[in-house]
Amino acid sequence: MSIIDLTLSANTEYARGFSLGNLAMPPSRQLAVLACMDARLTVENFLGLKTGEAHIIRNAGGIATEDALRSLVISHHLLRTNEIMVINHTDCGMLTFKDEELKTKLARQTGKTVKSPAHFHAFSDLERNVREQIQTIKSHPWLAGVPVRGFIYDVKTGRLQEVYAAETVAR
Ligand SMILES: [Zn+2]
């Protein structure tokens, strides 16, 4: 049995006891979360969120890419979320490579160069990366004024630590 077949069996079980068919489309906590896709992060669990309460947008690194911004704009303007959390985490795979090296390696392996993805958004400084994503979101004209806070999740302890703006730390 493939892994996908196993997940389908689990879904059959899930649907048997399903009772969430009447939830509203807008997230009830009016919260949007941008987080890394790392398999060790179960965002709903570590934030105490239930189905229907928040938008969870995930990609490699928890990066405010064009597509993440697209989702955040829709989340805020069409589905009324009012606060945004950016969550990166310790031991992130994005700290382990460099964009150019990976591009070169994949081009060599496949014999092909590609236009998209143009960037992998690998990074070397976790806190700085969180600050950059906050800045990217805050500076988007269609998200101006929405509170954005950033955090690092520790995969060893399950704890979140807030990343403050650089000027706050310097004070
Ligand atoms: Zn990660």
Side-chain angles (χ1 to χ4, degrees):
M1 210 188 241
S2 79
I3 297 296
I4 293 178
D5 289 329
L6 282 173
T7 66
L8 292 177
S9 308
N11 176 255
T12 304
E13 273 308 302
Y14 178 78
R16 201 165 281 153
F18 193 69
S19 61
L20 302 170
N22 293 316
L23 293 176
M25 189 194 299
S28 61
R29 290 209 189 180
Q30 298 184 295
L31 174 69
V33 181
L34 172 60
C36 184
M37 69 181 188
D38 193 289
R40 294 166 292 182
L41 277 60
T42 306
V43 177
E44 288 85 342
N45 287 3
F46 72 67
L47 295 182
L49 296 170
K50 296 194 184 73
T51 307
E53 292 188 335
H55 281 147
I56 317 283
I57 300 149
R58 301 186 67 171
N59 61 30
I63 308 292
T65 58
E66 183 180 349
D67 193 64
L69 290 168
R70 177 186 70 88
S71 296
L72 289 170
V73 167
I74 290 170
S75 176
H76 176 59
H77 286 282
L78 299 184
L79 293 160
R80 304 192 288 275
T81 56
N82 273 329
E83 292 182 62
I84 298 171
M85 291 176 90
V86 174
I87 302 179
N88 282 193
H89 63 96
T90 58
D91 198 37
C92 186
M94 301 295 282
L95 293 159
T96 65
F97 69 96
K98 302 229 173 339
D99 272 39
E100 284 313 313
E101 287 169 15
L102 182 57
K103 274 188 211 169
T104 305
K105 183 178 131 183
L106 293 176
R108 197 182 303 133
Q109 267 177 19
T110 62
K112 293 183 171 34
T113 54
V114 300
K115 284 205 177 92
S116 175
H119 306 285
F120 287 108
H121 300 286
F123 51 82
S124 57
D125 183 322
L126 207 45
E127 289 192 20
R128 193 201 303 157
N129 187 64
V130 172
R131 287 193 190 102
E132 284 174 4
Q133 307 324 308
I134 294 171
Q135 208 41 54
T136 302
I137 295 166
K138 282 188 165 179
S139 60
H140 194 287
W142 291 347
L143 294 170
V146 181
V148 185
R149 288 166 66 181
F151 301 85
I152 292 173
Y153 173 83
D154 188 326
V155 296
K156 297 286 180 219
T157 66
R159 274 180 206 282
L160 275 183
Q161 189 156 3
E162 186 150 9
V163 176
Y164 296 100
E167 53 266 55
T168 310
V169 174
R171 231 171 262 149

